Amino acid sequence: LEEIKGGLKTLYFNLDFNYIKNEGAKAVGTLMSHLQTLDTLHLGVASKNFGYLGFKYIVNGLTHLPQLKELNFRCGVNRVGPNGAEITRDLLYKLPNLRTLSLNFYENYIGDEGVVELTKGVASLEHLERLSLNYGFNDAKGYGLIRALESLVKRTYKELH
């Protein structure tokens, strides 16, 4: 770790559908917290083998990367629920320099409340230029998606005027 943490700018790290459990997720979070020179991160942790606790370890590690400009976060299928959406919102609050965000949050059962919370985090990103959101299979009934779109449209309209 000491060899790479000094100047690494870009990391593509795909652990999708591996059998990491909470302890593995904790190790991923610890690794992320030490890579403070990153400005681009593509992280895939889609898995059914850890839930909210493992997800929380990973998100906590990402909070140590406020200089990130690009984040591609594939974190679907972890079934983290609305609480997972809230800690992801809080993560986005701590990444003020993001210009590109791809958030694949499918099959996490966040519901409308979770969609609204995630969108609050997205809307807080003042420098955001590129955005990709995947909220598929999340038990959202509709009002969360409508409020999310309204929030993003209002932000865009405000920037144009």
Side-chain angles (χ1 to χ4, degrees), residues 60-160:
N60 284 343
L62 296 176
T63 63
H64 296 275
L65 307 176
Q67 73 293 344
L68 274 181
K69 294 179 183 160
E70 179 177 341
L71 176 61
N72 179 335
F73 193 21
R74 286 185 320 280
C75 53
V77 197
N78 291 309
R79 301 176 180 174
V80 298
N83 291 336
E86 289 174 6
I87 64 169
T88 304
R89 173 207 60 209
D90 294 343
L91 166 66
L92 294 176
Y93 290 156
K94 294 177 181 177
L95 300 176
N97 296 311
L98 276 183
R99 287 176 168 40
T100 300
L101 174 64
S102 177
L103 184 59
N104 290 288
F105 219 83
Y106 57 92
E107 203 175 331
N108 273 314
Y109 303 107
I110 61 173
D112 287 303
E113 298 84 9
V115 170
V116 169
E117 293 308 314
L118 283 171
T119 304
K120 288 178 185 177
V122 170
S124 75
L125 299 170
E126 294 180 15
H127 303 290
L128 196 64
E129 297 169 356
R130 289 176 293 285
L131 175 64
S132 173
L133 299 173
N134 181 349
Y135 292 150
F137 297 105
N138 268 308
D139 293 336
K141 306 293 187 247
Y143 81 84
L145 298 172
I146 292 168
R147 287 179 59 193
L149 286 172
E150 286 174 348
S151 174
L152 294 173
V153 167
K154 285 179 186 175
R155 178 177 176 246
T156 303
Y157 181 78
K158 187 166 66 171
E159 288 175 358
L160 294 174

